C-alpha cells in the first residue's frame, strides 16, 4: 500500500508495484537517497530463508526499484543525484552485523558501481556512503551494551558518527557543483582506523584524483 505521510509518502519499497505507484504520486525527482534498511545480526547458520529474503528485499531490492523509477527522468533532464547508504560491513563481513545484512550491503555497493558507470554520460551521479556505526536506533537499540562498547573501543575518537554528520556528506554529494561518481570503497575502513566513523571515496568522471570525506 502507498500511504500519504507528513512530509512524504510511505510505501513498501520491496514491492516494485508499490514503488511505481508512489513515484507516480511524487512526480519529478532530482535527488534520490536510498537510506532505508533493516539490520540482522544472525550469522549464516542462524539465518532463515525468510530472514535472508526480507533483509535483501529491504536493503537491496528497494534501492534498485526506486533508482529504476527515477532514472528515465534524470537521463532526460541530463541531471540527477542518487546516493546509496552502503556499509562498512560490505568490506569487513560485519563486525556485529549478520550474514544477510553484510551481503545486502555488498550487493548495494556493486549496484552503486553499476549505476554510476551506466549514468555518468547523462550527467547523473551515483555515489555510495559506507558508514561504520551511526548513532541511530539500529545501533542504540539493536546492539547490546557489550557490542556497543566493543565497537567504540575500535574507534579512536571513542564515539559513533552522528546522523547530522552523515547528512552533511549526503548534502556534499547531491550539490549541483559536485559531479563525482563513486570509484572505490576500499578506504572506508578508515571509519574505524582513522576515527571518523564514515568515509567516501569518489572520483571525478575524467580524472584519477580521489576525494576522501
Amino acid at each position: 500500500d502507498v500511504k500519504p505521510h507528513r512530509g512524504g509518502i510511505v510505501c513498501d519499497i520491496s514491492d516494485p508495484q508499490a514503488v511505481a505507484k508512489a513515484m507516480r504520486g511524487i512526480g519529478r525527482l532530482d535527488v534520490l537517497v536510498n537510506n532505508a534498511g533493516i539490520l540482522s545480526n544472525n550469522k549464516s547458520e542462524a539465518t532463515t530463508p525468510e530472514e535472508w529474503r526480507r533483509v535483501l528485499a529491504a536493503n537491496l531490492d528497494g534501492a534498485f526499484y526506486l533508482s529504476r523509477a527515477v532514472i528515465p527522468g534524470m537521463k532526460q533532464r541530463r541531471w540527477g543525484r542518487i546516493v546509496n547508504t552502503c556499509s562498512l560491513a560490505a568490506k569487513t563481513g560485519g563486525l556485529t552485523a549478520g550474514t544477510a545484512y553484510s551481503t545486502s550491503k555488498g550487493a548495494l555497493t556493486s549496484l552503486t558501481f553499476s549505476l554510476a558507470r551506466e549514468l555518468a554520460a547523462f550527467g547523473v551521479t551515483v555515489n555510495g556512503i559506507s558508514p561504520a556505526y551511526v548513532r541511530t536506533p539500529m545501533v542504540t537499540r539493536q546492539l547490546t551494551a557489550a557490542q556497543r562498547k566493543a565497537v567504540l573501543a575500535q574507534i579512536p575518537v571513542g564515539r559513533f558518527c552522528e546522523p547530522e554528520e552523515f547528512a552533511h556528506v549526503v548534502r556534499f554529494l547531491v550539490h549541483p557543483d559536485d559531479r563525482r561518481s563513486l570509484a572505490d570503497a576500499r578506504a572506508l575502513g578508515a571509519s574505524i582506523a582513522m576515527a571518523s566513523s564514515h568515509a567516501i571515496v569518489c572520483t571525478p568522471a575524467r580524472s584519477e584524483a580521489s576525494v576522501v570525506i
Side-chain angles (χ1 to χ4, degrees), residues 13-195:
I13 61 170
S14 68
D15 180 348
Q17 294 182 341
V19 169
K21 183 177 180 180
M23 297 310 295
R24 287 195 296 270
I26 293 174
R28 171 171 174 165
L29 194 66
D30 293 316
V31 175
L32 170 66
V33 180
N34 287 309
N35 189 52
I38 56 177
L39 177 65
S40 166
N41 290 322
N42 289 328
K43 299 301 182 181
S44 57
E45 292 182 82
T47 301
T48 65
E50 293 76 19
E51 181 180 11
W52 173 267
R53 188 60 256 159
R54 181 173 62 89
V55 173
L56 266 71
N59 295 357
L60 176 63
D61 295 356
F64 171 69
Y65 296 144
L66 286 163
S67 297
R68 185 180 63 171
V70 303
I71 283 172
M74 290 182 174
K75 288 173 65 176
Q76 183 179 32
R77 294 187 295 274
R78 302 192 69 81
W79 198 93
R81 300 288 184 264
I82 298 174
V83 179
N84 294 326
T85 300
C86 303
S87 173
L88 180 67
K91 289 287 184 177
T92 65
L95 299 178
T96 56
T99 304
Y101 180 86
S102 300
T103 302
S104 70
K105 292 300 185 177
L108 182 59
T109 300
S110 294
L111 175 64
T112 305
F113 277 105
S114 179
L115 293 180
R117 180 175 292 276
E118 174 187 344
L119 301 175
F122 298 93
V124 179
T125 66
V126 185
N127 286 282
I129 305 175
S130 289
Y133 291 84
V134 182
R135 192 173 60 81
T136 66
M138 187 178 287
V139 169
T140 59
R141 296 178 187 174
Q142 293 186 259
L143 296 184
T144 66
Q147 287 175 319
R148 292 195 297 271
K149 183 178 180 180
V151 169
L152 285 171
Q154 299 183 61
I155 303 176
V157 295
R159 67 174 181 85
F160 296 121
C161 173
E162 294 295 328
E164 292 79 7
E165 294 173 305
F166 182 89
H168 175 74
V169 180
V170 174
R171 183 176 62 178
F172 167 79
L173 289 173
V174 303
H175 194 280
D177 290 341
D178 187 74
R179 299 179 177 87
R180 301 172 180 86
S181 278
L182 180 113
D184 196 353
R186 63 183 179 273
L188 296 179
S191 58
I192 293 293
M194 300 305 291

Side-chain angles (χ1 to χ4, degrees), residues 1-11 18 21-26:
D1 292 338
V2 177
K3 302 177 182 178
H5 185 267
R6 184 175 59 186
I9 293 176
V10 176
C11 76
K21 183 177 180 180
M23 297 310 295
R24 287 195 296 270
I26 293 174

